[in-house]
Amino acid sequence: MDDSLEKVAAEVKVCTKCALSRSRTNAVPGEGPANARIMFIGEGPGFHEDHQGRPFVGASGQYLEQLLSTINLRREQVYIANVVKCRPPGNRDPLPDEIVACREYLDRQLALIKPSVVVTLGRFSMERFFPGQSISRIHGKAKRVGDIFYLPLYHPAAALRRPDWRQEMEQDFRHIPELLAELDKSKISHERDAGDDDQFHQLSLF
Ligand code: URA
Ligand code: SF4
């Protein structure tokens, strides 16, 4: 049973597991390279996303692209997904049963992409990795689990509406390259240790 991002997308496009399937124009599975090191998880499609079937293509998307450019990245280099893949009518919050119904798809995307840094955008995707926490308290504070960093950020739409959050958002974004560098550093030292081991084993053969 080989899973793939294409398989997930094909299932999402015809999914009827929750009521959002009845009001959507297009489902929005997510997009980006399968080997992306950074995965962004938003809340759910808005008006423009629903029309185009693509994530973050409206005002929030423009801002996200602008933020990415401040760390020398383009959207084509990262994976962009959402907690729910179909637009909640009138952009209302996704309901708990809709999030539960859609969870399988996000789980499979995470398992396939195996990102190094998971960036949650807004409360709903934060809740998945930081249950019960408050975004105003923990935004910009990454948590490491094994070889993955989870970084909770404000939602771009919320940051766009509030100049003080906007500034914090831009500061928080700078953590992304720092976290990648930290993972690279620990990987290199791990490989060096493994290399030392090999040398030791070779020597002990003589
Ligand atoms: N807001 C989101 O949370 N996701 C999108 O894809 C677009 C806007
Ligand atoms: Fe299926 Fe998710 Fe769309 Fe609900 S939101 S219909 S679970 S793809």
Side-chain angles (χ1 to χ4, degrees):
M1 196 214 72
D2 279 342
D3 204 8
S4 70
L5 290 173
E6 292 73 21
K7 196 159 178 279
V8 175
E11 289 174 40
V12 164
K13 282 182 192 156
V14 296
C15 178
T16 54
K17 287 203 293 174
C18 84
L20 295 180
S21 63
R22 292 200 289 269
S23 49
R24 74 178 174 222
T25 314
N26 292 292
V28 181
E31 66 185 26
N35 63 353
R37 292 195 74 196
I38 308 168
M39 180 164 170
F40 287 88
I41 308 177
E43 181 177 318
F47 175 86
H48 295 284
E49 291 77 20
D50 175 65
H51 270 256
Q52 296 184 36
R54 296 181 57 208
F56 283 97
V57 290
S60 301
Q62 265 179 23
Y63 184 41
L64 181 62
E65 287 177 25
Q66 198 182 318
L67 288 162
L68 282 167
S69 76
T70 66
I71 55 167
N72 295 316
L73 285 173
R74 285 172 292 113
R75 67 177 283 148
E76 295 77 26
Q77 296 173 284
V78 301
Y79 199 86
I80 307 176
N82 280 303
V83 167
V84 293
K85 314 299 192 194
C86 303
R87 182 189 185 209
N91 293 352
R92 67 155 168 77
D93 289 347
L95 300 172
D97 67 312
E98 293 160 356
I99 296 173
V100 169
C102 211
R103 185 181 162 124
E104 165 206 341
Y105 301 122
L106 186 60
D107 285 347
R108 286 163 64 193
Q109 288 171 326
L110 281 158
L112 287 160
I113 296 160
K114 299 191 190 71
S116 299
V117 178
V118 173
V119 183
T120 65
L121 301 170
R123 285 182 295 131
F124 291 93
S125 61
M126 179 189 75
E127 184 60 28
R128 161 80 206 266
F129 304 99
F130 300 87
Q133 304 266 20
S134 125
I135 196 157
S136 55
R137 194 163 309 148
I138 69 160
H139 73 88
K141 297 195 180 112
K143 153 173 106 172
R144 183 171 181 166
V145 181
D147 283 333
I148 306 179
F149 274 114
Y150 298 90
L151 177 66
L153 299 189
Y154 288 126
H155 193 282
L160 269 179
R161 283 194 298 267
R162 299 193 38 174
D164 49 333
W165 284 18
R166 215 173 146 142
Q167 207 172 20
E168 291 181 62
M169 185 74 169
E170 284 152 34
Q171 279 165 10
D172 288 350
F173 233 77
R174 295 196 208 122
H175 293 313
I176 298 172
E178 291 165 6
L179 296 172
L180 285 172
E182 192 170 328
L183 289 172
D184 288 344
K185 208 168 72 189
S186 58
K187 190 162 164 260
I188 289 164
S189 70
H190 182 78
E191 277 164 6
R192 196 173 47 231
D193 290 349
D196 286 350
D197 261 13
D198 285 350
Q199 241 170 29
F200 177 77
H201 287 302
Q202 274 174 17
L203 284 173
S204 64
L205 287 174
F206 296 99

